[in-house]
């Protein structure tokens, strides 16, 4: 019979799949035949498409109506009957589980871990990826940048912001924002807090309201306007003891009085985690002209406007501004980006996506395991099913029974999973500082996901076993009593397939985790060029009016240093502007004396300003010459200490000591060469040269003391010593230098520990699954093994046979897993450092791990196989 | 009225009965004829058609007969023919529709030819 083209064949298949069992074969063939005739006579193109869609929909509707009338005709089952049946199945199921508590427990724990992990990771994904900004309608928020002629993006200048704000129609509102640290004085201990200088429209754009007082008002964000501030709830509690009368009081920010006009609600978080005050824009220590581009623009799209439209409009406005005002660079434009994407960043995106992938794998393994457990049970339950079906239980009833049981097991596992998830989420939010700005918690959607996953897993794990078990023919099942016949072997084969899949997933996870563990260890073993042990650091920025003269500042720095050196229990102190891992410090072009290179062609060097004795204090290697001494002061010529990297670049093959280095600001004589020091963990160390604070006194710098014992216990002593020199200067970000360094690889550490956990979990679950399958087959083959033993087979041979079975599965799974891993680790590449994404050692170890677990899991059944007593086995 | 509890008939069922009242037909011809007669207003898909035929066979409103294949080797096509009960049901439905239309004429919603009156 001619079955026609592919569409007709697919149609035929669908007809039998969808209508099989509800419509007699003859009618189904009729549908196929008529459809074929119609199809052939329908013109190619839209009419055929229309026919296909109508027919597809018709099939589904027919299935629905026929199914309904069939059910109604068959048993006239009511809703109450249905509930009754579910309830009865549940009771039977619980009784069954009580008889085999270990199997039920294994299933519950497996599912608990799987569902818990999924829910926890989903919660993180929800907080980080899907809804990272805690503002109403956050998807309407955009980041507005200025662009230059070459398309380079820069921040927005104040005057351009004003013009954009006045002209835009595509944005409902536009705000200006910049985050800077701010000195607070006149409230007891001087301190530095995180402040945000914002336009009055800021709170409107974000859609947030104050909980006390009012927000900044228009007119308070323009030069000459009142200086006002809104406090964070946290800061209001900490510094004002939640005083409800705080509104109207003044606070001294950067040595200028500001009126406190409001307090934000506790839940409000902005782009910085720990912002403590929002301050009138015009108090920002930046000039408010067109060329000083130092602000972020944040806009909210007007109703029905998309980002592209807004981009075109703002770009046009900016281009007109550039033509009209001579001080702007020609060719300027605007860029409008999705704020959420900008805040989340690619690293976190990669991270969460790979975690979602990982957890999906663990969940699959868990599901496969539970399905495996159910299959094992159902093959031994063949007898029970056979009896029940002989007693007249319908096929449907048997299936319902098995599904209800599985969903019940999954529900208990789901409850356990929610508990695990709650703990995991709390631990993740607390442990990993980079995630604190996101709202990570178990929200209703996450719980819904958990519930959905639970039911899905229950059905999935139960469906196949249920269909198989319900296929038993009463006679065959009863005859097979107690042994499980060929259907048992078929089941075991299916479980082997599941197991190969699990092995593959476990290998994939192990490879991912392995690569990240090696990344973290590579990051940990990076030679930073100095000794960070026991260093406690703090940062300060001198208030604007204090120590304006270089000589005064130098004296002050001398005093600070003397005071810090006197702290008992420490071995010295130093100060530095541009401390490693602080993110502070400047760079300048630099070239050799008499070099013909232009400044554009010259090398760029990082230029920390340090105290005499800094090199020795930090444990940086002194390679040539000397380091700074107290006698290098304003009275002598400028001197510099070059890093090895810089020396090799500007004076290759020569001794640089005694030579000059030139920068656009002036020249300095090189007195020494020291080893390279890293400013961050990734990339190569930068070339640098050091200057002495006794010649170039900085106003933003870090203080360091080297302590004996835990550095954080010296915080009080450090503050007191620092304020002995001047109690009006703020000191902040007091923390051990090692903590600062650790936070640099936070994403890698976070991922590697989570992926590591998942990988171990996967390995464990796979081991359990493996044990189950092998033990089950050994059980089924008892007679065969008995016969072999009776025929004189060596026990060692039998053991090898069973072990070989497990090992074969592990190898097939391992090879599949390697392929999957090679394809999937691409996604992790941006997180990997110091190790190749195709690192053979990691892959080999992953395979070895899975093989070892497989052998371990097979060992007990293998030994049991050799203990089969031939006579009993044969008599059974 | 003996068949009132089966009324109203679904559009496909009524149209199939009307069609078969003329002559027995096979599935494909039924779809084509109904589409042509109704001017494309009723265009059944194969599954709708066979769903309806299945129900009507169950009610004994129609019969299924195997047509001898004209060309050897081709599939045996099935022909559907209306039964006396089928005729009764179709007639009852037609009467119901007619009554419904007459009531529209009585209130001058339509004129007797089934068109809308020119000046209401």
């Amino acid at each position: 019979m001619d079955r026609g083209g592919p569409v007709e064949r697919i149609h035929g298949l669908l007809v039998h799949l969808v209508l099989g069992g509800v419509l007699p074969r003859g009618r189904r063939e009729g549908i196929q035949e008529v459809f074929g005739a119609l199809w052939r006579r329908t013109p190619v193109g839209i009419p055929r498409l229309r026919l296909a869609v109508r027919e597809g929909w018709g099939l589904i509707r027919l299935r629905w109506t026929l199914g309904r009338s069939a059910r109604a005709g068959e048993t006239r089952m009511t809703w109450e009957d249905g509930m009754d049946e579910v309830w009865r199945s549940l009771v039977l199921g619980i009784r069954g589980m009580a008889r085999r508590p270990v199997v039920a427990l294994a299933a519950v724990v497996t599912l608990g871990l799987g569902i818990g992990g999924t829910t926890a990771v989903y919660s993180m994904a929800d907080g980080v990826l899907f809804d990272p900004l805690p503002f109403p309608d956050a998807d309407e928020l955009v980041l507005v940048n200025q662009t230059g002629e070459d398309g380079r993006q820069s921040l927005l200048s104040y005057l351009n912001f004003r013009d954009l704000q006045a002209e835009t129609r595509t944005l409902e509102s536009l705000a200006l924002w910049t985050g800077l640290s701010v000195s607070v004085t006149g409230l007891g201990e001087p301190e530095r807090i995180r402040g945000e200088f914002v336009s009055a429209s800021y709170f409107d754009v974000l859609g947030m309201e104050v909980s006390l007082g009012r927000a900044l008002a228009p007119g308070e964000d323009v030069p000459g306007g009142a200086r006002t501030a809104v406090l964070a709830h946290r800061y209001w509690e900490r510094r004002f003891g939640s005083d409800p009368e705080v509104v109207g009081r003044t606070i001294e920010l950067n040595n200028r009085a500001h009126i406190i006009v409001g307090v934000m609600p506790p839940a409000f978080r902005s782009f910085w985690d720990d912002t403590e005050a929002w301050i009138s824009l015009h108090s920002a220590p930046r000039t408010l002209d067109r060329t000083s581009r130092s602000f972020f623009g944040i806009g909210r799209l007007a109703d029905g406007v998309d980002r592209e439209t807004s981009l075109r409009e703002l770009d046009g406005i900016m281009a007109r501004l550039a033509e009209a005002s001579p001080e702007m660079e020609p060719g300027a434009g605007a860029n409008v980006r999705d704020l959420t994407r900008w805040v989340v960043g690619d690293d976190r995106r990669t991270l969460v996506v790979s975690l979602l992938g990982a957890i999906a794998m663990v969940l699959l393994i868990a599901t496969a395991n539970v399905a495996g457990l159910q299959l094992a049970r159902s093959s031994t339950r063949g007898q029970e099913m056979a009896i029940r079906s002989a007693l007249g239980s319908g096929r449907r009833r048997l299936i319902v029974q098995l599904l209800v049981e599985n969903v019940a097991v999954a529900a208990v596992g789901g409850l356990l999973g929610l508990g695990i998830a709650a703990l995991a989420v709390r631990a993740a939010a607390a442990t990993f500082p980079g995630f604190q700005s996101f709202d990570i918690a178990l929200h209703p959607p996450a719980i819904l996901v958990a519930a959905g996953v639970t039911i899905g897993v229950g059905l999935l794990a139960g469906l196949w076993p249920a269909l198989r078990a319900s296929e038993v023919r009463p006679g065959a099942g009863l005859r097979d009593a107690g042994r499980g016949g060929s259907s048992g072997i078929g089941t075991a084969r299916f479980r082997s397939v599941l197991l190969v899949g699990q092995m593959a997933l476990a290998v994939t996870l192990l490879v991912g985790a392995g690569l990240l563990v090696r990344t973290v260890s590579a990051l940990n073993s990076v030679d930073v060029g100095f000794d960070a042990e026991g260093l406690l650091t703090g940062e300060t920025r001198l208030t604007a009016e204090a120590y304006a003269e270089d000589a005064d500042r130098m004296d002050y720095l001398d005093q600070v240093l003397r005071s810090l050196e006197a702290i008992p229990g420490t071995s010295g102190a130093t100060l530095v502007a541009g401390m490693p891992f602080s993110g502070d410090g400047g760079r300048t072009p630099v070239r050799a004396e008499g070099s013909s290179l232009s400044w554009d062609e010259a090398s760029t060097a990082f230029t920390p300003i340090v105290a005499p004795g800094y090199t020795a204090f930090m444990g940086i290697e002194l390679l040539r010459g000397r380091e700074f001494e107290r006698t290098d002061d304003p009275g002598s010529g400028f001197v510099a200490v070059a890093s090895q990297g810089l020396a090799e670049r500007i004076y290759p093959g020569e001794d640089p000591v005694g030579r000059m280095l030139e920068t656009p600001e002036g020249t300095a004589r090189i007195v020494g060469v020291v080893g390279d020091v890293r400013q961050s963990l990734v990339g190569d160390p930068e070339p640098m040269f050091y200057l002495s604070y006794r010649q170039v006194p900085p106003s933003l710098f870090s203080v360091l003391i080297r302590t004996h014992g835990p550095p954080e216990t010296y915080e009080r002593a450090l503050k007191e010593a620092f304020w002995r020199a001047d109690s009006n200067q703020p000191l902040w970000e007091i923390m051990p230098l090692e903590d600062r360094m650790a936070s640099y690889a936070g994403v890698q550490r976070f991922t590697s520990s989570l992926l590591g956990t998942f990988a171990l979990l996967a390995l464990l679950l796979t081991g359990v699954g493996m044990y189950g399958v092998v033990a089950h087959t050994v059980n089924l083959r008892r007679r065969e093994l008995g016969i072999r033993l009776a025929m004189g087979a060596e026990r060692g041979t039998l053991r090898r046979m069973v072990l070989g079975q497990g090992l074969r599965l592990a190898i097939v799974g391992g090879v599949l897993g390697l392929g999957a891993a090679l394809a999937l680790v691409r996604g992790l590449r941006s997180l990997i450092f110091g190790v190749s994404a195709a690192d053979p050692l990691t892959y080999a170890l992953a395979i070895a791990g899975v093989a070892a677990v497989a052998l371990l899991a097979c060992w007990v059944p293998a030994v049991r196989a050799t203990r089969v007593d031939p006579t009993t086995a044969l008599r059974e | 009225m003996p068949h009132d509890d089966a009324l109203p008939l679904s559009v496909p069922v009524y149209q199939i009965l009307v069609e078969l009242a003329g002559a027995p037909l096979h599935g494909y011809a039924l779809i084509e004829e109904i589409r042509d007669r109704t001017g494309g207003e009723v265009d059944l898909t194969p599954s709708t058609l066979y769903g309806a035929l299945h129900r009507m066979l169950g009610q004994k409103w129609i019969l299924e007969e195997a047509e001898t294949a004209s060309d050897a080797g081709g599939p045996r096509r099935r022909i559907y023919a209306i039964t006396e009960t089928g005729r009764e049901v179709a007639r009852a439905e037609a009467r119901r529709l007619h009554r419904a239309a007459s009531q529209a004429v009585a209130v001058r919603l339509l004129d007797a030819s089934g068109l809308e009156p020119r000046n209401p």
Side-chain angles (χ1 to χ4, degrees), chain A residues 1 11 19 22-24 26-35 37-38 41 50-51 54-62 65-66, chain B residues 12 26-29 31-32 35 40 42-55 57-58 64 73 75-78 80:
Chain A
M1 175 178 159
H11 175 261
L19 300 176
V22 290
L23 198 65
R27 307 272 129 79
R28 296 203 304 262
E29 282 172 3
I31 294 181
Q32 243 181 300
E33 179 203 320
V34 171
F35 176 79
L38 271 175
R41 276 171 229 193
R50 221 179 123 249
L51 175 64
R54 287 179 62 219
E55 174 64 13
W57 177 231
L59 276 176
I60 293 167
R61 258 193 352 214
L62 183 56
T65 46
L66 287 177
Chain B
H26 57 80
Y28 178 71
I31 290 182
E32 298 270 280
R35 187 174 46 217
V42 180
D43 187 5
L44 303 176
T45 67
S47 46
T48 317
L49 174 74
Y50 278 90
L53 290 177
H54 178 64
R55 282 193 294 275
L57 284 163
E64 189 180 50
R76 280 193 331 159
R77 286 198 298 194
R78 291 177 178 79
Y80 298 91

Side-chain angles (χ1 to χ4, degrees), chain A residues 629-671:
Chain A
E629 287 162 5
R630 289 196 59 80
T631 50
D632 299 317
D633 59 21
S636 57
F638 280 110
V639 290
V641 169
S643 74
Q644 190 178 14
L646 181 71
E648 279 167 6
R649 195 165 303 184
I650 63 172
Y651 286 111
E654 294 175 57
D655 181 358
V657 174
R659 311 289 294 265
M660 302 299 281
L661 55 79
E662 292 185 3
T663 72
E665 287 83 34
T667 59
R669 189 165 48 84
I670 300 172
V671 294

Side-chain angles (χ1 to χ4, degrees), chain A residues 395-420:
Chain A
R395 179 183 155 94
R396 191 196 62 220
R397 183 158 291 178
L398 293 182
I399 293 179
V400 167
Q401 151 101 49
L402 282 166
L403 288 185
V404 166
E405 272 181 45
N406 272 293
V407 174
V409 169
V412 181
L415 281 181
L416 181 69
L418 271 184
I420 293 174

Side-chain angles (χ1 to χ4, degrees), chain A residues 610-826:
Chain A
V610 301
Y614 176 78
T615 307
F617 175 87
M618 292 293 281
I620 300 169
E621 201 180 356
L622 180 63
L623 299 170
R624 281 172 181 281
R626 64 172 177 89
E627 68 164 314
F628 299 120
E629 287 162 5
R630 289 196 59 80
T631 50
D632 299 317
D633 59 21
S636 57
F638 280 110
V639 290
V641 169
S643 74
Q644 190 178 14
L646 181 71
E648 279 167 6
R649 195 165 303 184
I650 63 172
Y651 286 111
E654 294 175 57
D655 181 358
V657 174
R659 311 289 294 265
M660 302 299 281
L661 55 79
E662 292 185 3
T663 72
E665 287 83 34
T667 59
R669 189 165 48 84
I670 300 172
V671 294
V673 177
V674 296
D676 286 322
V677 165
R678 282 176 175 277
Q679 294 294 313
S680 90
L681 283 178
V682 280
D684 292 324
E686 279 184 88
M688 41 175 137
F689 66 86
Y690 298 85
L691 297 171
S692 168
Y693 86 83
R694 307 259 313 145
Q695 293 188 321
V696 193
S699 58
L700 167 67
F701 59 93
S702 301
V703 293
L704 291 95
I705 54 174
R706 195 178 289 279
T707 63
H708 304 296
E712 47 284 8
T713 57
Y714 286 79
E715 182 173 337
R716 194 69 247 158
L718 178 67
K719 279 182 173 171
E720 279 167 6
F722 180 78
W723 282 323
R724 214 165 292 137
D726 179 349
S727 64
N728 268 319
Q729 300 306 321
L731 186 68
W732 66 322
E733 294 208 337
I734 299 167
M735 65 169 99
L737 186 52
E738 284 181 326
D739 287 5
R740 256 176 205 279
M741 292 163 65
S743 70
Y744 256 65
V747 171
Q748 277 87 353
R749 277 175 227 277
F750 181 66
T751 326
S752 75
S753 59
L754 264 186
L755 265 190
T757 314
F758 288 159
L760 288 182
L761 192 59
L763 208 55
L764 184 77
L765 293 178
T766 306
V768 172
M770 175 68 107
Y771 170 81
V773 169
V774 176
H776 188 59
T777 37
V778 164
N779 220 9
L780 289 174
R781 288 167 70 184
R782 286 253 291 287
R783 272 163 69 92
E784 178 206 326
L785 293 171
I787 292 170
R788 280 174 190 258
L789 276 175
M791 303 287 281
E794 293 281 333
R795 286 179 192 267
T797 317
L798 290 189
R799 194 160 50 222
R800 271 197 301 281
M801 195 175 80
V802 175
L803 285 178
Q805 181 203 3
L807 211 52
R808 263 199 309 280
L809 293 178
I811 287 169
V812 176
V815 170
L816 287 176
L818 283 191
L822 271 174
L824 289 176
V825 291
R826 279 166 200 287

Side-chain angles (χ1 to χ4, degrees), chain A residues 25 68 76 102 129 157 167 171 203 251 305 331 394 405 515 529 572 614 656 660 682 712 727 786 835 875:
Chain A
R25 190 187 183 82
R68 219 172 33 187
R76 297 206 176 268
V102 179
L129 277 193
S157 75
E167 291 193 33
L171 294 180
F203 298 99
I251 180 171
V305 173
E405 272 181 45
L515 289 174
Y614 176 78
M660 302 299 281
V682 280
E712 47 284 8
S727 64
V835 56
R875 213 178 296 129

